[in-house]
Amino acid sequence: MSSTISTNTTNSSISEQIICHQWEGVKYRRADGNFSQWTDSLKDALILNSLYVYVFDTTILRPDFKAEPHAYSNWGPNDHLAITFIKSALDDTEHRVLVIDKGASSCFSDLKTCVQREGLIEQVALFQEALSTYCSLSKPLPTTAGHIVDIVKRAFDIGQ
């Protein structure tokens, strides 16, 4: 009894993907300071489009060309599709920071690093704003406290 290794000539372990669900969330802008929330929405949208692994699961590697030629040929277009999807979820002003020639996972990782690095100055400004917010007789205390909490949440969101 002999066994043969599948060369993936008929059944690909990686199928070619298409965008079934367009980005419907708010496009990310660093000025908004909502990177963590945006990332959560991006993950959900990538899952719906079967592109999550190309961006967030770095244990899934590009298949070997000799062992799985069809899977190998589908990997590249799917990875580029994931990058295009990320771009569709970004404000046009954010496209300049994207490095797309290293793959979708690196593209997102580089974006996250850029956001975190540039966000420190914005974080300080937000903390200063929160600390300089005073209660007034014209606004109820819970309203002012809620405003301060929102500012602090935005500051922490930038750093994540």
Side-chain angles (χ1 to χ4, degrees):
M1 187 161 141
S2 68
S3 64
T4 58
I5 296 175
S6 169
T7 56
N8 191 8
T9 56
T10 56
N11 294 322
S12 177
S13 65
I14 297 175
S15 59
E16 190 172 356
Q17 301 300 322
I18 59 170
I19 300 294
C20 298
H21 304 277
Q22 298 295 323
W23 178 257
E24 295 178 3
V26 175
K27 291 191 175 211
Y28 177 71
R29 290 179 346 130
R30 274 177 279 172
D32 296 338
N34 62 348
F35 189 74
S36 293
Q37 294 166 347
W38 175 82
T39 299
D40 289 342
S41 296
L42 179 68
K43 286 178 180 180
D44 292 343
L46 288 168
I47 289 169
L48 289 172
N49 286 299
S50 301
L51 296 171
Y52 179 89
V53 296
Y54 297 93
V55 180
F56 294 105
D57 189 353
T58 57
T59 61
I60 307 294
L61 302 175
R62 186 176 195 143
D64 179 60
F65 175 73
K66 290 181 181 179
E68 296 187 271
H70 284 75
Y72 179 87
S73 67
N74 288 338
W75 177 271
N78 290 350
D79 194 61
H80 289 294
L81 189 61
I83 292 170
T84 302
F85 193 82
I86 292 170
K87 287 172 71 174
S88 76
L90 290 171
D91 188 78
D92 292 343
T93 60
E94 302 300 329
H95 289 198
R96 65 178 173 78
V97 301
L98 292 181
V99 178
I100 60 174
D101 60 345
K102 297 187 294 182
S105 181
S106 290
C107 177
F108 178 81
S109 180
D110 291 347
L111 174 65
K112 182 177 180 179
T113 300
C114 183
V115 166
Q116 289 172 332
R117 193 173 348 174
E118 292 181 11
L120 293 176
I121 294 168
E122 180 65 23
Q123 270 185 311
V124 170
L126 287 169
F127 285 133
Q128 287 176 334
E129 181 184 344
L131 291 171
S132 65
T133 303
Y134 293 98
C135 296
S136 70
L137 295 174
S138 63
K139 282 187 184 176
L141 179 61
T143 302
T144 304
H147 178 67
I148 293 170
V149 167
D150 290 343
I151 293 170
V152 172
K153 280 182 182 178
R154 282 181 35 222
F156 277 108
D157 193 39
I158 290 171
Q160 294 181 348

